[in-house]
Amino acid sequence: MNLTVKHLLGVAAAIAMGAPALLGTAASPAVAAPGAHCERAEQDMWESGPSRSVTARDCSIPSYGKRWYTVEIDTLVQTHYKGDTLDGGVDRTRTLHDQTIRCLGYTSDADKGTVDWFGCPPV
């Protein structure tokens, strides 16, 4: 057998055996990482669509530094406004239970006891 063919077969075998092992170890921490949980949250709903921010209370936030957070919310209150400004007034509110959203990050205000989730695409 040609020396180049042996090298190529060896490389292919190493990739075939090593890739699943590497993928398995890299994927397991992401799957095992817990999500955030909030008791109550509010989200503004505009005529053009939902706000990308959610204000929540009584949250437990994991300490891992991931880019995206999965947030489980027990009670989500959506305030629907007439138009795209506060001047239009409130059209209606809607209460949803046991909702899960994904957000890019958060800021917290310990004095108010709130967590402001941002970068939350519509579900």
Side-chain angles (χ1 to χ4, degrees):
M1 195 184 287
N2 188 335
L3 189 58
T4 305
V5 173
K6 285 183 183 179
H7 285 294
L8 289 174
L9 287 174
V11 169
I15 290 172
M17 291 185 316
L22 289 174
L23 289 174
T25 57
S28 63
V31 172
H37 178 265
C38 298
E39 295 291 325
R40 181 175 174 81
E42 294 91 29
Q43 182 180 32
D44 293 332
M45 305 294 285
W46 308 103
E47 196 170 274
S48 60
S51 171
R52 302 301 192 260
S53 300
V54 175
T55 301
R57 289 169 176 56
D58 299 322
C59 294
S60 62
I61 303 169
S63 60
Y64 66 90
K66 293 293 180 190
R67 177 95 180 178
W68 284 92
Y69 291 87
T70 300
V71 185
E72 295 176 358
I73 301 171
D74 290 342
T75 304
L76 175 63
V77 178
Q78 294 178 328
T79 303
H80 293 259
Y81 290 95
K82 299 175 188 173
D84 286 331
T85 64
L86 294 174
D87 297 335
V90 175
D91 182 35
R92 68 186 189 283
T93 59
R94 186 172 131 187
T95 302
L96 305 170
H97 298 282
D98 301 322
Q99 296 295 304
T100 301
I101 59 173
R102 287 176 42 92
C103 298
L104 185 59
Y106 68 93
T107 59
S108 60
D109 186 344
D111 294 334
K112 293 182 182 177
T114 60
V115 176
D116 291 315
W117 295 98
F118 60 84
C120 309
V123 188

